[in-house]
Amino acid sequence: MTDLDALTARTGIRAEFYDPLGTRYGFPTFPYHYAPDNLATRRQLRADGLRPGGQPVVAQMLWRHRQQRRVAYLYRRDLAAPKRTATPAQRALIARMLLARRTCRHCGITRPYYIPRSAGACLICEPGGGTR
């Protein structure tokens, strides 16, 4: 009994998504949670403070969720670059943009919450949102 057969018997994970040579899918493919340790998704790279850095996708993970086939692309960890950090000017710009999202256009008051884009006004100025 191979590791893959034991995996299918123990967990019910389908062997159809195990194709490390890429003969079936044209791309190295692994079942969910069974990719090699030297490969990572974008989220896993981000959690480690890395980014793909322009490298191509080298493999994929496939799994089924609610009758749909899901895919996650995998990148090599050794070729990943460190995440870029924002400059002080970029951080200041982001702070101004977030402040603008909390400032009501009608009354000009900065609220402790983001103004709903659907209304375009704070909950007090919005019709039916409360009294002034």
Side-chain angles (χ1 to χ4, degrees):
M1 181 179 247
T2 66
D3 290 338
L4 190 58
D5 294 332
L7 172 71
T8 304
R10 190 178 78 244
T11 64
I13 292 178
R14 298 180 183 190
E16 70 178 298
F17 297 139
Y18 185 74
D19 182 23
L21 301 177
T23 55
R24 189 178 327 150
Y25 295 102
F27 215 55
T29 305
F30 301 95
Y32 191 69
H33 287 298
Y34 287 91
D37 291 335
N38 65 330
L39 301 179
T41 64
R42 282 183 179 268
R43 283 189 178 194
Q44 290 169 334
L45 290 175
R46 190 177 340 137
D48 293 340
L50 301 171
R51 61 186 171 94
Q55 66 173 299
V57 176
V58 295
Q60 65 184 353
M61 277 191 310
L62 288 177
W63 70 97
R64 289 196 187 278
H65 178 73
R66 296 185 183 172
Q67 305 302 319
Q68 287 184 324
R69 183 183 288 179
R70 301 284 177 102
V71 64
Y73 297 111
L74 300 170
Y75 302 89
R76 289 180 46 184
R77 286 185 189 269
D78 60 339
L79 296 180
K83 280 191 343 186
R84 295 183 292 211
T85 57
T87 65
Q90 289 172 327
R91 289 177 191 251
L93 177 64
I94 291 168
R96 286 196 309 266
M97 289 189 298
L98 292 177
L99 180 67
R101 287 182 60 194
R102 293 187 2 236
T103 305
C104 178
R105 303 185 249 178
H106 298 288
C107 64
I109 298 175
T110 301
R111 301 292 178 185
Y113 54 86
Y114 292 123
I115 306 295
R117 286 188 295 174
S118 60
C122 67
L123 299 179
I124 294 174
C125 294
E126 179 185 352
T131 60
R132 277 196 190 193

